């Protein structure tokens, strides 16, 4: 279905359905995809126009904000020094970065045409290969306990998906989906890179590693060993009993020591010796000549 623009009393359409005497645009690629630090051309081609020198504008739309990248016949903003106009209307960008991923709008104003304005949208995707992800694997987990393995990567664009391997065998997102893992109970979130075991089994022991991948490439972390071991219930009970027995012996020894007077303060004995009790009615004084005690008063009768 074609739009019809009315000019006075007549409307003229070309065989392709475009209005004759009106500016019309097309693009050879509306969704270009490029690797980071490469160059890319955003194609915007005028197919019909009666205006020899139309006004060209390019705008970048990202995160809800619209900014100029080509205006008043000059490159603007973040593209200054690494972009140019090709063939009158197309935009070429060198050394693209992940921040260049956005919608770009090519706008053409042709004052001498019946339809003066046309625009076209280009969606640019800049891909970034993931770097080595950071993996965290518990070294040892007792049988029946929960275990969580983590894998994270922050550079890839678009955001990578994650997959886990055990002993070089890829793990499904749900252990119940594959009979090979019927003795396991785990769930893998490929968006976050988290591998969760609800209750580990002996068969879950092994070497684990994670791979982060997107359309630009992939990267893996170093494998790490996870050991699943049995709890020695008998040993635990025996250890508790030994500790209780030791505590009982210590308590018994302290009680016996108190009964035998080993904890009576020797200070008290010394003070008793130095300060003997005085008999009623008798005062003792010490003289320099005698160097010893003598009576100061006689006994009361």
């Amino acid at each position: 279905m074609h739009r019809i623009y009315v000019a006075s009393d007549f409307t003229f359409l070309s065989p392709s359905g475009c209005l004759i005497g009106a500016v019309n645009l097309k693009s050879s690629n509306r969704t270009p995809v490029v690797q980071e630090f490469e160059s890319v051309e955003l194609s915007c081609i005028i197919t019909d126009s009666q205006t020899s020198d139309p006004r060209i504008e390019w705008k970048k739309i990202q995160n809800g904000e619209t900014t100029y990248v080509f205006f008043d016949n000059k490159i603007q903003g973040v593209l200054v020094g690494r972009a140019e106009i090709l063939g009158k209307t197309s935009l070429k960008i060198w050394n693209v970065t992940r921040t260049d991923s956005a919608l770009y709008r090519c706008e053409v104003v042709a004052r001498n045409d019946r339809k003066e304005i046309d625009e076209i949208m280009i969606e640019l995707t800049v891909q970034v290969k993931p770097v080595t992800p950071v993996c965290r694997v518990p070294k040892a987990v007792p049988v029946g306990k929960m275990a969580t393995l983590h894998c994270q990567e922050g550079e890839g664009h678009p955001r990578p998906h994650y997959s886990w391997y055990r002993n070089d065998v890829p793990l499904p997102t749900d252990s119940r989906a594959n009979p090979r893992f019927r003795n396991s109970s785990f769930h893998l979130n490929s968006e976050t890179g988290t591998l969760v075991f609800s209750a580990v089994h002996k068969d879950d022991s092994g070497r684990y590693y994670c791979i982060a991948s997107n359309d630009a490439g992939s990267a893996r972390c170093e494998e790490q060993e996870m050991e699943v071991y049995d709890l020695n219930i008998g040993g635990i009970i025996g250890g508790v009993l030994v500790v209780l027995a030791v505590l009982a012996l210590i308590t018994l020894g302290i009680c016996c020591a108190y009964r035998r007077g080993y904890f009576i303060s020797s200070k008290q004995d010394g003070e008793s010796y130095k300060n003997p009790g005085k008999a009623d009615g008798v005062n003792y004084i010490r003289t320099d000549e005698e160097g010893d005690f003598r009576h100061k008063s006689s006994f009361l009768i």
Side-chain angles (χ1 to χ4, degrees):
M1 181 177 181
H2 304 292
R3 293 182 180 179
I4 299 177
Y5 296 86
V6 178
S8 70
D9 297 330
F10 301 96
T11 300
F12 303 93
L13 295 178
S14 68
S16 62
C18 296
L19 184 67
I20 297 176
V23 60
N24 291 287
L25 303 176
K26 73 173 185 177
S27 176
S28 61
N29 185 2
R30 293 199 178 201
T31 56
V33 178
V34 64
Q35 301 293 317
E36 192 172 32
F37 307 125
E38 294 182 349
S39 61
V40 63
E41 179 181 340
L42 307 185
S43 171
C44 180
I45 303 169
I46 299 176
T47 57
D48 298 286
S49 178
Q50 301 299 315
T51 303
S52 60
D53 188 22
R55 189 180 77 198
I56 312 298
E57 294 180 358
W58 276 92
K59 297 176 182 178
K60 178 181 179 181
I61 305 170
Q62 187 180 55
N63 299 326
E65 296 184 0
T66 301
T67 56
Y68 281 104
V69 293
F70 183 78
F71 178 73
D72 196 21
N73 292 324
K74 292 183 295 185
I75 298 295
Q76 306 284 336
V78 296
L79 294 186
V80 172
R82 59 186 185 96
E84 67 173 347
I85 294 296
L86 294 180
K88 188 183 288 188
T89 51
S90 294
L91 179 68
K92 183 172 184 179
I93 306 173
W94 296 292
N95 195 32
V96 295
T97 67
R98 66 197 71 188
T99 59
D100 294 326
S101 293
L103 285 172
Y104 292 82
R105 185 166 66 218
C106 174
E107 300 177 359
V108 175
V109 179
R111 297 299 183 187
N112 298 331
D113 290 16
R114 290 186 175 91
K115 179 174 74 99
E116 295 183 352
I117 302 175
D118 198 14
E119 63 182 38
I120 194 169
M121 298 291 290
I122 310 293
E123 183 179 6
L124 172 62
T125 301
V126 179
Q127 295 182 338
V128 181
K129 180 182 177 180
V131 297
T132 302
V134 176
C135 297
R136 300 197 304 273
V137 178
K139 294 184 179 298
V141 185
V143 170
K145 296 295 183 179
M146 187 179 77
T148 303
L149 285 66
H150 299 275
C151 181
Q152 293 180 326
E153 191 278 336
E155 296 294 325
H157 185 82
R159 292 182 61 180
H161 287 77
Y162 300 94
S163 54
W164 276 96
Y165 290 74
R166 181 176 69 203
N167 300 329
D168 295 324
V169 177
L171 301 180
T173 55
D174 193 331
S175 58
R176 295 171 298 181
N178 191 328
R180 182 175 185 176
F181 301 97
R182 60 181 178 273
N183 292 329
S184 297
S185 57
F186 61 79
H187 178 76
L188 167 62
N189 188 327
S190 60
E191 299 291 330
T192 63
T194 303
L195 177 64
V196 179
F197 291 84
S198 57
V200 295
H201 296 75
K202 292 290 289 183
D203 293 341
D204 294 324
S205 294
R207 303 183 312 277
Y208 287 82
Y209 64 87
C210 167
I211 294 180
S213 59
N214 61 12
D215 293 337
S218 62
R220 57 165 283 181
C221 65
E222 292 295 327
E223 63 181 21
Q224 300 178 40
E225 185 83 20
M226 184 177 78
E227 177 189 0
V228 179
Y229 62 90
D230 291 316
L231 283 174
N232 188 352
I233 303 299
I236 294 174
I237 295 175
V240 171
L241 292 177
V242 169
V243 172
L244 292 176
V246 170
L247 291 176
L249 290 174
I250 293 173
T251 303
L252 181 60
I254 293 174
C255 291
C256 291
Y258 267 112
R259 290 179 180 178
R260 296 184 179 184
Y262 288 112
F263 291 94
I264 297 176
S265 175
S266 60
K267 183 178 179 181
Q268 294 179 358
D269 295 342
E271 289 178 351
S272 300
Y273 174 79
K274 292 179 181 178
N275 299 288
K278 298 178 182 179
D280 292 339
V282 180
N283 292 327
Y284 296 92
I285 61 173
R286 186 184 185 97
T287 63
D288 295 335
E289 295 81 4
E290 296 175 348
D292 200 350
F293 290 101
R294 65 182 177 83
H295 289 291
K296 183 179 180 184
S297 60
S298 60
F299 291 98
L300 293 177
I301 301 175

